[in-house]
Amino acid sequence: MTKRIIYGPILSRRLGRSLGIDVIKTSDTKKNCNFDCVYCQLGHVLKKITGTNDVKGTVTPEEVIEDLRCYHKNIEDLEYITFSGTCEPTLNPELGEMIRGIKKISSHPVCVITNSSLVDKEKIRENLSEADLVVATLVSGYEETFMAINRPADGIILENIINGLKEIKKMDKRPILGIEVMLVDSNIDFPVNHTEREIEKLKETLIEIDPDEIEILTVSRPPAENYIIPVPEDRLKEIATEFEKVFGKERVKLVLKGIKRSRSKMKHVNIEEEIYDLIMRRPCTFKQISVSLGINDKELKVIIDRFLSSKSIKEITAGEKKYYKINR
């Protein structure tokens, strides 16, 4: 199937019902990124992109607006329009123009989910300033832990990321700045980031950045590396309490597994493509697909069985749950 620009809506633990936009359309790789995070739900990056000049297959603002103009009107209960998907959105240099165009045709708030890799560059910060919300990843205040968990392309260092995030907060025109603290545990000897030493350094670093929001979460889908496992919920709650003492309850969000929401109220144009596009961006359980796209179980089972038979998708198990992902 052709990889489409618009996908979803996705039922997000953080943003509610969020319609996704993927701004790099290269179809010969499962993701386009300058990180190779050990926890990534899309698996390994076969070839890390070094910067915006290294990107092939960028989506244009005109393509985004044309696709969005019709698609978002088919969803009655949409809460966000979000740049994410199979790529790092800031790798597309026209991101700011895309956001400006979206705001001309939609009243929904726009979020950019970024790995923070390029925020040290002024042009990237200008692009991000057009969004209503930026959710930027920060896994550690230590360079060695950052390198182990995010596995960035050559030339990306933690100090530049921290300085770039601090500059976003100083901008006259700026988005709400949220920092996503993705915490990981491991079943092998690996530099995990939920120890007391790591948490103390993260607090120090976040005091410097001074974000509007801090989101604390752990892996909830099958990660790229099978030695990465979720941080126990009790530990997450302990860490959230520590952060609340420093930053206040209103700024700290503990994002736990499981959202109970009604099915999306959505008019479908091509259900099979919508399901495939959703699974392409993130492995999903049967229930997650059903609720996100508003498809009844009987109809969805027929389509899933067809995809499995054709080997377009495959079923994997993580913990006690079964997920569907693209078969590549």
Side-chain angles (χ1 to χ4, degrees):
M1 290 189 181
T2 303
K3 180 180 178 181
R4 300 193 301 178
I5 298 168
I6 312 295
Y7 64 95
I10 283 174
L11 191 55
S12 166
R13 292 185 290 166
R14 297 168 291 182
L15 304 174
R17 213 172 299 279
S18 171
L19 188 63
I21 301 178
D22 211 338
V23 294
I24 300 176
K25 56 186 175 183
T26 308
S27 58
D28 59 350
T29 179
K30 58 188 172 185
K31 63 178 179 176
N32 297 275
C33 197
N34 48 8
F35 279 12
D36 185 20
C37 301
V38 295
Y39 57 78
C40 184
Q41 61 198 12
L42 294 177
H44 285 294
V45 175
L46 299 179
K47 182 181 178 183
K48 282 178 275 194
I49 295 171
T50 56
T52 54
N53 294 331
D54 195 31
V55 179
K56 297 178 181 178
T58 53
V59 172
T60 66
E62 292 76 19
E63 288 175 303
V64 168
I65 301 309
E66 181 182 351
D67 281 19
L68 187 65
R69 194 182 298 276
C70 296
Y71 200 108
H72 83 287
K73 293 179 180 178
N74 293 330
I75 307 162
E76 295 181 18
D77 49 356
L78 189 63
E79 294 168 80
Y80 266 94
I81 294 173
T82 304
F83 286 86
S84 183
T86 61
C87 69
E88 165 51 37
T90 60
L91 285 166
N92 190 316
E94 296 185 287
L95 178 62
E97 187 176 344
M98 293 176 188
I99 298 172
R100 288 191 292 273
I102 288 170
K103 291 189 172 184
K104 291 177 181 178
I105 64 170
S106 172
S107 60
H108 294 101
V110 177
C111 173
V112 178
I113 298 177
T114 175
N115 63 17
S116 309
S117 57
L118 303 178
V119 294
D120 60 316
K121 296 172 173 52
E122 185 175 2
K123 176 58 179 175
I124 299 301
R125 295 196 298 271
E126 289 175 359
N127 285 341
L128 291 174
S129 73
E130 301 293 338
D132 298 289
L133 170 65
V134 168
V135 178
T137 299
L138 185 71
V139 299
S140 180
Y142 291 111
E143 180 77 17
E144 62 271 21
T145 309
F146 158 71
M147 287 289 178
I149 293 175
N150 288 145
R151 300 188 295 201
D154 292 344
I156 298 174
I157 61 174
L158 181 59
E159 182 180 3
N160 290 346
I161 287 175
I162 293 169
N163 289 335
L165 292 170
K166 288 160 67 174
E167 289 300 316
I168 290 178
K169 189 66 195 300
K170 295 176 185 176
M171 296 172 75
D172 292 332
K173 177 190 175 183
R174 69 172 183 87
I176 295 170
L177 177 60
I179 299 295
E180 174 194 86
V181 181
M182 173 62 78
L183 299 171
V184 299
D185 203 351
S186 178
N187 54 23
I188 65 169
D189 184 16
F190 179 81
V192 297
N193 60 344
H194 66 87
T195 63
E196 283 300 327
R197 174 179 178 270
E198 287 284 342
I199 297 305
E200 286 303 313
K201 185 65 173 178
L202 270 168
K203 286 189 287 188
E204 291 174 16
T205 306
L206 289 168
I207 287 171
E208 286 185 49
I209 297 169
D210 190 29
D212 300 295
E213 300 174 355
I214 301 167
E215 299 177 354
I216 298 169
L217 68 163
T218 191
V219 290
S220 63
R221 287 182 168 81
E225 301 291 359
N226 59 16
Y227 54 78
I228 295 299
I229 58 176
V231 174
E233 191 170 305
D234 287 348
R235 178 59 180 148
L236 289 177
K237 290 178 178 177
E238 288 176 1
I239 293 168
T241 299
E242 289 187 46
F243 275 73
E244 287 172 359
K245 290 176 182 177
V246 177
F247 302 101
K249 287 187 176 183
E250 69 282 354
R251 292 170 70 184
V252 178
K253 296 181 179 180
L254 176 57
V255 184
L256 298 174
K257 293 181 182 180
I259 322 179
K260 294 185 178 179
R261 299 287 292 271
S262 59
R263 282 191 173 90
S264 179
K265 299 173 183 176
M266 180 177 176
K267 296 176 184 176
H268 297 284
V269 177
N270 186 318
I271 291 181
E272 289 200 7
E273 285 190 3
E274 290 163 9
I275 294 169
Y276 189 84
D277 283 336
L278 179 61
I279 297 172
M280 182 186 295
R281 271 64 183 216
R282 57 171 64 187
C284 292
T285 65
F286 188 94
K287 188 65 175 178
Q288 287 167 347
I289 300 168
S290 172
V291 174
S292 293
L293 299 180
I295 305 169
N296 70 66
D297 291 355
K298 184 177 180 180
E299 185 176 13
L300 178 57
K301 186 177 185 308
V302 171
I303 297 170
I304 291 295
D305 287 346
R306 190 180 303 138
F307 281 156
L308 289 170
S309 296
S310 66
K311 301 190 185 312
S312 300
I313 66 171
K314 61 183 177 181
E315 186 178 82
I316 59 173
T317 300
E320 298 178 352
K321 291 185 177 181
K322 292 182 178 179
Y323 290 83
Y324 300 106
K325 67 180 296 183
I326 301 302
N327 192 10
R328 285 183 179 169

